[in-house]
Amino acid sequence: MRNYYIKRIISTILTLLLVATITFILMRSIPGGPFTREKFIPDEIIRILEEKYNLNDPPLKQYFDYMKGLVTFDLGPSFSLIGFKVEEMIASGFPLSAKIGGMASLLIIIVGIPVGIISALKQNRPIDYFVMFTATILVTVPSFVIATLIIYFFALRWGILPTFGNTAPLWYIGPVIALSGYSLSFVARLTRSSMLEVLRQDYVRTARANGLSEFKVIGKHALKNALIPVVTYIGPMVAAILTGSFVIEKIFALPGIGRYFVDSVGNRDYTVIMGMTVFYAAFYIVMVFIVDIIYSLIDPRIKIDG
Amino acid sequence: MKKILALLLSLTLVFSLVACGDKETETDDPAVFNWNIGADPKTLDPSLNGASDGGDVINNTFEGLVREFNGEVLPGIAESWEFSPDGKTITFHLRESKWSNGDPLTAHDFVYGWKHGMDPLSESEYSWLWEYTNVVGSFEAVNGESLDDVGIEATDDHTFVVQLKQPTDYFVSLTAFYHFMPLHKDSVEAVADGMWAKTPEHAVSNGPYMLTSYELGQGLTLEKNTNYWNADNVHIDTIDAKFIDEESTAYAAFQNGDLDYIPDVPPSEITRLIAEDEQYYVFPLLGTYYYSFNLDRELWQNDDLRKAFVLAIDREAIVEAVGGIATPATGVVPPGFTDHEGRDFYETAGAFGIETDDSQFDEARELLATAGYPNGEGFPTDLVLIYNTRDDHKLIAETVQQMWKENLGIEIEIQNMEWAVFQGTRKAGDFDISRGGWLTDYMDPSGMLSLFTSNNDYNDPNFYNDEYDQLMEDSMKATDKAVHFEKLYAAQEVFMEVLPIVPVYHYADDMYVKNYVKDWGRSVLGSVDFSRARIEK
């Protein structure tokens, strides 16, 4: 067990280093630099800026300097938000992104899984058709459409929700629903199909033959196995949702970190691109790790061993 | 007993409620203005800023030597100013005024602020502007020469003297622009990288409002600056500003009454708003949208060919397609510049024989035939028009592509590039036809025309014309206003005779402001001004 954790930690560090290295190389190989403006910046100032951000060092030195910073959690200053360090930007935006992402993840789990189970148990009945129909629509409709519709109807037309501003608790409803729409439907569908498959298994029949109550059959025996693929999906999904969504944050005017991802590439904001990618990668790895632990908890056949 | 107690209690409750209500009506509600700035400004330091969102804030937190309000240049911190007989020295007489923290504001603060902007160590991306100010030694300082040789000086606490290389008509109005503000030295030096301006305890300013909070990516708060010299005429107590860069969200919030001012509306709403809503305003912007021919390519050496391309588009249809608020362009200089006789430069210059509608397509076809490509026959088929990725640029490029195909029988490809790539490609001259656009930063047509002088970095069509260069130089050196403008008129004539570009439209700006907000202003260069604004609900 202990060996396993040590192995896991080492592989995590190696993966992060690899991610950082690949991002570093890719980033520098795209044309254009961080100081491309509509109106050209005088050469003398470009020179000083490059010196400040160490861009005039040889690439290899820049790489090692960056890696050194990474180890000490110094992600460097942003090129486009003057005066802010990348870690400050993450610290300022992540709590909100994570809060909304956390609520969305909860909603997905609390609603998605039961709905999927009910749908599987009532296969080919009206309720199943209704759930699958709704889920198919929600999977296909992009989140920005859901978000815009929420603002249009609930905020503008009916005045039930505020249009922006994360001060009122009510305000979270819009972003959380828009953010969870796709995954919620996906989880419901996944739970349903995986449940249907498990229900056909011999051991479920045996359990029923033994006279166990339907609640026990489903809740104790079927569900555990049916959840394995769902947990596999939910792990990385939580990582993606908690680190913010560009579209949702833009539409609901949220000061989260999702938008930095997209903006930083356009701005060639090297340090922000690096910082966000490494942050997301680290988060992702942790979530995958948690998924592995959950596996072993719900299915004893899956063992964590060194 | 219990009942009586309950009655007593409820009575006191009712009375206390009534009393509270009275209290509220007695004191004036503070006037709060809800403003959407748009994006989170990159910086709020006047000497570093180069963007309109930051400029909008600075225009309300700072005041320069003069304040420009709806095109009128009014005394600001300078009560009066006079020119030397040769027009090269301007002496500004400053009023007694204070910083928002109570410190006295002197001419030395202007010297410090201006030099801070020029100093390459401040890393101001906007310092190129000094080249056009003609302030002695300023652009040299930007490029690393000594700041001591710059021709600005505080001869005493209230006298600020500026030396110019040559008389510069627009100089005084330029000092209203955000790059020319005084700075409070102790505050600026307290925090690096201009962050002082986003940190309430260091954000010392001298304008109608001062910054009291800033939340990254979310919004900021401005409060009335009681130390502002003209504070008696400031009627808004608090400006609650947001950074909502999604037009449709801001629009919904405006409709809901959560915002009183938004800088843009969704393009799909424009036509309806122009027709129905008096709260929607459109302003001309001092800029032009065009396509450059790459004159370095042999193909484009053909005068008739270029003219055929210029005449074969329907500018009115293009403007309509992008919302209908812009002005179809027939030249380089947009409406809004006044010449030495008080006439509008754009009106006076005329249309150079270019119509804005679809009436010249036959003429275009004839020119194309004269150029050697009747009905487009024999014309290269691999021509590419490049533009930077954005919805409206795409729409315009597709429209123009279609017009050239229909009216000239010529098929070109269009290709979008991400901004940073586009900029590099265009500067390297690696294109056949390229999108171009320019907004000027000072009130003189030379701000547009100087783009196309031989040594200008933005001369994308690679237009090298000695006569043009000479006229531009003469106009810039002219000590006489009439000569200055006549040379500029002549230069545009020369340029439009050659036609190195396809003028498309002159930019326009819009804003949406509640009708209960009165007396807001806007500078000709596009910064909003709430220094006198009132809210009358």
Side-chain angles (χ1 to χ4, degrees), chain B residues 150-165:
Chain B
V150 178
I152 55 174
E153 192 191 355
T155 50
D156 63 51
D157 279 358
H158 296 99
T159 313
F160 182 64
V161 183
V162 180
Q163 307 285 348
L164 302 175
K165 279 186 258 188

Side-chain angles (χ1 to χ4, degrees), chain A residues 105-128:
Chain A
S105 301
L106 271 181
L107 184 74
I108 292 164
I109 294 167
I110 292 173
V111 176
I113 295 176
V115 163
I117 296 171
I118 293 169
S119 194
L121 295 177
K122 309 275 178 193
Q123 196 193 1
N124 295 336
R125 305 252 196 87
I127 186 159
D128 178 35

Side-chain angles (χ1 to χ4, degrees), chain B residues 401-418:
Chain B
Q401 180 190 36
Q402 184 67 21
M403 286 171 175
W404 282 337
K405 188 183 168 191
E406 278 174 14
N407 305 326
L408 299 176
I410 285 174
E411 294 211 31
I412 57 154
E413 282 174 46
I414 58 172
Q415 191 191 348
N416 64 314
M417 296 178 179
E418 197 221 358

Side-chain angles (χ1 to χ4, degrees), chain B residues 424-436:
Chain B
T425 311
R426 188 170 65 171
K427 200 180 178 197
D430 193 11
F431 66 90
D432 300 310
I433 302 175
S434 156
R435 186 196 85 80

Side-chain angles (χ1 to χ4, degrees), chain B residues 287-290 328-337 339 344-354 444-453 463 465 467-473 475 483-506:
Chain B
T288 306
Y289 190 108
Y290 56 88
T330 53
V332 179
V333 179
F337 295 108
D339 73 1
D344 186 85
F345 192 95
Y346 159 86
E347 299 273 342
T348 317
F352 309 99
I354 299 172
D444 191 73
S446 63
M448 297 300 299
L449 292 166
S450 62
L451 282 185
F452 302 105
T453 51
F463 170 67
N465 184 305
E467 191 188 355
Y468 185 79
D469 289 349
Q470 191 59 51
L471 284 165
M472 286 306 294
E473 201 185 320
S475 91
V483 178
H484 173 74
F485 280 101
E486 273 153 21
K487 298 285 180 190
L488 289 178
Y489 277 120
Q492 189 173 220
E493 288 282 348
V494 170
F495 186 81
M496 291 307 292
E497 188 59 39
V498 181
L499 282 179
I501 64 165
V502 184
V504 180
Y505 63 73
H506 300 302

Side-chain angles (χ1 to χ4, degrees), chain A residues 200-227:
Chain A
R200 285 190 211 108
Q201 302 276 331
D202 288 346
Y203 77 89
V204 174
R205 199 174 43 198
T206 312
R208 281 188 173 142
N210 278 341
L212 290 184
S213 71
E214 188 66 12
F215 183 78
K216 266 198 166 165
V217 173
I218 305 298
K220 203 169 169 200
H221 297 284
L223 190 59
K224 270 190 177 174
N225 282 324
L227 280 184

